[in-house]
């Protein structure tokens, strides 16, 4: 089969070899994920400000699209909490919740997100997700989890409270706290307690009673359904909807509708920033989960093809009346643990969701909104990782600054502002760190060919030679710092005759840094000091050769720092014998001007030469 066709349609790779054993495992995993996904889909649609049935629509065709185009065997695509929150934040300025315009904007947002992801795949721009650092993503998810949980408290209390930031949510709740409906509160608190207990305790207890792990897992995952059934029976049996308990209401049954985005230029411009952020965040979350799970089975994820899989999934969501989707962490882990072997498990899950949409939606009419809120709260609180904040603080204050900025702005300003600020702070901190790169004066470890920092190791140096190691690529932001540091070191050494810049960590020298190197070489030569480079990487050397650098560079480029010091010591000591104690060998392979030359040196230990040189 054509390899290019297989890369575009990963289903062609595994489908021809599909086995009966894989089918059994996929069927079982699909059963568990379907049980989990039905209440979650209803709940997350409510979180996005959409009718609950829209969550079911967004859990059908996207799963089929990902099964065709995705590369992960176990990633479960559908509505997720964070993307639902971002959707609500993006649509709030455009239309009022519950209106046709709001739903049309959600469909358009999904379509636009899908186009962005596919375009990124065509242009192979998956690397853009790297700008979302782990501390920023971790802080964003933690803050979003807190914000989502807080926003659902109004449903637990049965009150009306608006707000899209933590202070406004708290203010709204406190302002309406006296209107709390006691029946709603009891249902909500009981549901939260039940779901937490089911998540943590039910499976091990069932196994302890003698049930097989798979059956115990299936029953444990059915916990949310049990809460749904019990609460519906309570509402119907005691007429709690007439006592002020807010219910989901009529949910239309039937196939997902065919929908088209609104082709309005002004609307697209309004939605574009949010669509871009949703695409990037969703892609990072999906790929992180997919790669983690794939590594456990020694499978491989193709990042750019994942863009295609997620992009087509979002387009499919839009065409079926849904809203933006991505790979969910919790349901993907459940899918993996349940034994899913191929993406067909997702397609089977889609069939289960479709069956629920066709036949079960009338049963959800009397479902209390408090139970859906409890489902959301239990799900998102598992995403809150407060320990990560402490770990990041202990390890890197700069990364902590980016994480803290993200968390605070998400909670107190807004979702989009938080993630944009987090990325901006990360990039600014990166520029700040690399603008003052770590540079170390190094000396030779006695008896070896290794050179280490003079402040950390017992090393041997010569006052006539300065060995300076730079631990960062050289570019416009640190070019002036490099010049200043070298001039300062030279000024402090009256006996200096040679400067060697070690470049083992230099992966790039841009035009600004190249001019700085030329200026350093000219200024040192005017002062009677030679300027040389050592351990320059091949691609960097190639770039230097493409320039006119070697047309006027009078120093040498040495293959290793050891050979640089050996050669220059021979010059400064009047042709002293320098070697490692082995048979004579070429002392250095260096470049002088544009040409490489080699010299043969006599035999004498390096440490002895250093010891006999002027101190």
């Amino acid at each position: 089969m054509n390899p290019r066709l297989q890369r575009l349609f990963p289903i062609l790779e595994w489908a021809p070899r599909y086995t009966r054993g894989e089918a059994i495992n996929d069927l079982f995993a699909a059963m568990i994920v379907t049980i989990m996904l039905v209440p979650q889909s209803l709940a997350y649609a409510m979180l996005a400000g959409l009718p609950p049935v829209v969550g079911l629509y967004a859990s059908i065709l996207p799963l089929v699209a990902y099964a065709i185009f995705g590369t992960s065997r176990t990633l479960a695509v559908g509505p997720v909490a964070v993307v639902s929150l971002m959707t609500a934040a993006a649509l709030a300025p455009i239309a009022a919740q519950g209106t046709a315009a709001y739903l049309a904007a959600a469909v358009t947002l999904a379509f636009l997100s899908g186009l962005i992801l596919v375009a990124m795949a065509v242009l192979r721009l998956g690397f853009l997700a790297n700008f979302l650092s782990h501390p920023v993503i971790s802080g964003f998810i933690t803050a979003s989890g807190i914000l989502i949980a807080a926003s659902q408290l109004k449903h637990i209390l049965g009150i009306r409270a608006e707000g899209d930031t933590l202070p406004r949510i708290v203010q709204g709740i406190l302002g309406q706290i006296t209107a709390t409906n006691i029946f709603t509160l009891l249902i909500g608190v009981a549901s939260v307690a039940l779901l937490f207990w089911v998540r943590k305790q039910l499976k091990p207890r069932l196994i302890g009673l003698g049930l097989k792990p798979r059956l115990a897992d299936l029953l444990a995952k059915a916990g949310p359904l049990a809460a749904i059934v019990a609460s519906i029976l309570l509402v119907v049996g005691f007429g709690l909807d007439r006592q002020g308990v807010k219910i989901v209401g009529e949910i239309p049954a039937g196939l997902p509708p065919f929908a088209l985005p609104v082709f309005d230029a002004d609307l697209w411009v309004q939605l574009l920033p949010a669509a871009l952020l949703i695409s990037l965040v969703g892609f990072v979350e999906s790929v992180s989960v997919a790669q983690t799970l794939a590594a456990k089975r020694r499978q491989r994820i193709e990042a750019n093809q994942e863009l295609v899989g997620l992009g087509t999934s979002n387009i499919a969501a839009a065409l079926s009346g849904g809203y933006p989707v991505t790979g969910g962490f919790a349901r993907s882990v459940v899918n993996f643990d349940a034994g899913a072997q191929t993406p067909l498990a997702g397609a089977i899950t889609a069939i289960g969701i479709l069956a629920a949409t066709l036949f079960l939606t009338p049963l959800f009419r009397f479902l209390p909104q408090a139970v859906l809120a409890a489902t959301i709260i239990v799900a998102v609180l598992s995403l809150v990782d407060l320990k990560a904040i402490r770990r990041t603080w202990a390890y890197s204050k700069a990364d902590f600054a980016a994480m803290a900025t993200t968390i605070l702005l998400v909670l107190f300003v807004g979702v989009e502002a938080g993630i944009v600020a987090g990325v901006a702070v990360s990039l600014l901190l990166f520029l700040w760190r690399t603008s003052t790169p770590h540079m170390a004066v190094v000396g030779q470890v006695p008896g070896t060919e290794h050179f280490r920092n003079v402040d950390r190791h017992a090393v041997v140096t010569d006052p006539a030679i300065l060995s300076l190691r730079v631990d960062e690529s050289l570019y416009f932001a640190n070019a002036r710092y490099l010049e200043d540091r070298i001039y300062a070191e030279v000024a402090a050494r009256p006996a200096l005759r040679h400067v060697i810049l070690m470049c083992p960590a230099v992966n790039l020298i841009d035009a600004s840094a190249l001019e700085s190197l030329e200026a350093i070489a000219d200024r040192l030569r005017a002062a009677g000091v030679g300027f040389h480079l050592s351990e320059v990487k091949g691609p960097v050397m190639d770039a230097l050769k493409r320039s006119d650098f070697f047309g006027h560079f009078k120093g040498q480029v040495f293959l290793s720092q050891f050979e640089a010091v050996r050669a220059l010591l021979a010059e400064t000591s009047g042709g002293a014998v320098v070697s490692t104690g082995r048979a004579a060998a070429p002392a250095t392979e260096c470049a002088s001007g544009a040409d490489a030359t080699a010299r043969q040196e006599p035999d004498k230990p390096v440490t002895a030469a250093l010891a006999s040189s002027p101190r």
Side-chain angles (χ1 to χ4, degrees):
M1 188 175 292
N2 190 329
R4 293 183 63 183
L5 199 60
Q6 280 188 332
R7 284 197 297 271
L8 182 59
F9 299 96
I11 189 175
L12 299 177
E13 181 181 347
W14 55 264
R17 301 192 300 270
Y18 196 64
T19 65
R20 183 173 178 272
E22 289 176 330
I24 294 173
N25 285 329
D26 284 346
L27 181 61
F28 181 79
M31 289 173 55
I32 292 180
V33 175
T34 301
I35 291 172
M36 178 182 183
L37 196 53
V38 168
Q40 278 194 353
S41 298
L42 296 170
Y44 291 154
M46 186 176 73
L47 175 61
L50 295 162
V53 72
V54 174
L56 296 177
Y57 295 160
S59 303
I60 300 174
L61 286 187
L63 288 167
V64 177
Y66 186 83
I68 297 172
F69 294 100
T71 59
S72 172
R73 300 294 181 93
T74 53
L75 188 70
V77 174
V80 299
V82 172
V83 170
S84 298
L85 177 66
M86 295 179 73
T87 298
L91 301 183
I94 295 173
Q97 292 187 9
T99 63
Y102 191 92
L103 179 57
V107 169
T108 305
L109 182 62
F111 188 79
L112 188 54
S113 297
L115 289 183
I116 290 172
L117 288 164
V118 172
M120 288 174 63
V122 172
L123 298 174
R124 306 189 71 79
L125 297 180
F127 70 90
L128 289 177
N130 295 335
F131 289 111
L132 294 173
S133 66
H134 178 72
V136 169
I137 287 294
S138 177
F140 174 71
I141 291 176
T142 292
S144 297
I146 296 171
L147 195 62
I148 291 169
S151 71
Q152 296 307 298
L153 291 178
K154 63 184 180 182
H155 297 297
I156 298 293
L157 298 171
I159 60 176
R160 287 184 174 274
E162 302 302 326
D164 54 358
T165 63
L166 189 60
R168 291 177 182 172
I169 291 172
V170 173
Q171 182 180 7
I173 290 174
L174 293 178
Q176 296 291 324
I177 194 72
T178 56
T180 298
N181 182 282
I182 188 63
F183 298 107
T184 301
L185 179 62
L186 290 174
I187 291 174
V189 172
S191 298
V192 170
L194 173 65
L195 292 176
F196 269 121
W197 181 81
V198 165
R199 179 181 286 253
K200 300 290 185 181
Q201 302 292 332
L202 184 57
K203 182 179 177 179
R205 293 203 177 192
L206 291 175
I207 293 175
L209 293 174
L211 271 68
K212 292 183 178 180
R214 275 201 167 187
L215 179 57
D217 193 46
L218 180 62
L219 293 174
K221 295 300 184 296
L225 278 183
I228 286 174
V229 172
S231 63
I232 290 175
L233 292 176
L234 282 172
V235 170
V236 174
F238 294 96
L240 296 181
D241 56 318
R242 296 189 297 273
Q243 303 297 321
V245 174
K246 295 179 181 178
I247 57 175
V248 170
E250 198 71 41
I251 298 179
L255 293 171
F258 176 74
L260 286 174
V262 177
F263 292 99
D264 180 279
D266 291 336
L267 178 62
W268 282 46
V269 169
Q270 281 183 282
L271 292 176
L272 184 59
L276 182 59
L277 286 177
I278 287 173
S279 300
L280 288 175
V281 171
F283 174 60
V284 170
E285 182 178 352
S286 293
V287 169
S288 299
V289 175
Q291 288 178 337
T292 300
L293 297 179
K296 293 183 178 181
R297 294 182 180 174
R298 299 189 179 183
Q299 295 169 347
R300 185 171 175 270
I301 299 299
E302 179 59 48
N304 280 300
Q305 184 60 34
E306 282 298 288
L307 285 168
V308 177
L310 293 173
T312 54
S313 295
N314 276 279
I315 292 172
L319 297 179
S320 57
Y323 70 103
V325 297
T326 192
F329 174 76
R331 72 175 67 108
S332 296
V333 172
V334 169
N335 197 37
F336 179 90
D337 290 341
Q341 298 297 311
T342 71
L344 188 61
I348 298 172
T349 300
I351 295 174
I353 301 294
L354 178 61
T357 305
L358 289 172
F359 306 113
L360 301 181
T361 50
L363 302 178
F364 295 126
R365 177 182 178 182
F366 292 98
L367 173 61
Q369 292 183 8
V371 175
L372 293 181
T375 302
I376 293 173
I377 290 172
V378 173
V380 299
L381 287 183
S382 66
L383 302 177
V384 176
D385 188 1
L386 298 179
K387 293 181 180 178
I389 301 174
R390 186 170 63 251
R391 290 195 302 269
T392 305
W393 167 263
Y395 183 75
S396 170
K397 301 301 186 289
D399 286 336
F400 173 80
M403 176 183 277
T405 299
T406 304
I407 291 174
L408 292 175
L409 286 183
V410 167
L411 292 178
F412 293 96
V413 179
V415 176
E416 294 178 4
I419 195 165
V420 169
V423 172
V425 170
S426 293
L427 293 177
L428 289 174
L429 288 171
F430 169 78
L431 290 173
W432 174 73
R433 277 197 301 260
T434 56
S435 68
T436 55
H438 179 263
M439 297 179 68
V441 176
V442 298
Q444 186 177 11
V445 178
T448 75
E449 297 181 5
H450 300 295
F451 286 76
R452 295 292 184 268
N453 191 333
V454 297
D455 295 327
R456 293 177 177 269
H457 301 272
V459 294
V460 182
T461 61
D462 188 285
I465 297 175
L466 170 64
S467 297
L468 191 62
R469 188 187 71 223
V470 58
D471 296 329
E472 186 63 69
S473 292
L474 303 178
Y475 71 118
F476 65 91
N478 59 29
R480 180 56 60 87
Y481 178 84
L482 175 71
E483 291 186 48
D484 293 342
R485 177 66 187 273
I486 289 178
Y487 296 153
E489 295 288 350
V490 171
R493 293 169 171 78
L496 193 66
R497 293 181 57 186
H498 295 283
V499 174
I500 309 169
L501 185 65
M502 287 182 67
C503 305
V506 176
N507 299 310
L508 167 74
I509 298 177
D510 75 355
S512 299
L514 182 64
E515 289 190 9
S516 290
L517 290 178
E518 292 172 345
I520 292 168
D522 291 342
R523 185 167 175 176
L524 292 185
R525 184 169 66 250
V529 177
F531 181 58
H532 314 277
L533 305 177
S534 73
E535 302 185 15
V536 180
K537 292 184 176 180
V540 177
M541 191 70 176
D542 294 340
L544 292 176
K545 287 179 179 179
R546 288 194 299 269
S547 71
D548 63 348
F549 178 71
F550 289 122
H552 44 80
F553 182 62
K554 303 304 180 183
Q556 302 178 76
V557 181
F558 295 92
L559 189 64
S560 72
Q561 181 66 14
F562 171 74
E563 293 180 351
V565 171
R566 182 169 66 173
L568 297 176
L569 273 175
E571 292 180 9
T572 57
S573 59
V577 179
V578 181
S579 82
T580 60
R582 298 191 297 268
T588 183
E589 188 175 15
C590 60
S592 179
D595 301 320
T597 60
R599 286 191 306 219
Q600 187 81 17
E601 298 290 354
D603 188 37
K604 184 178 181 181
V606 174
T607 52
L610 288 172
S612 61
S613 64
R615 308 302 300 174

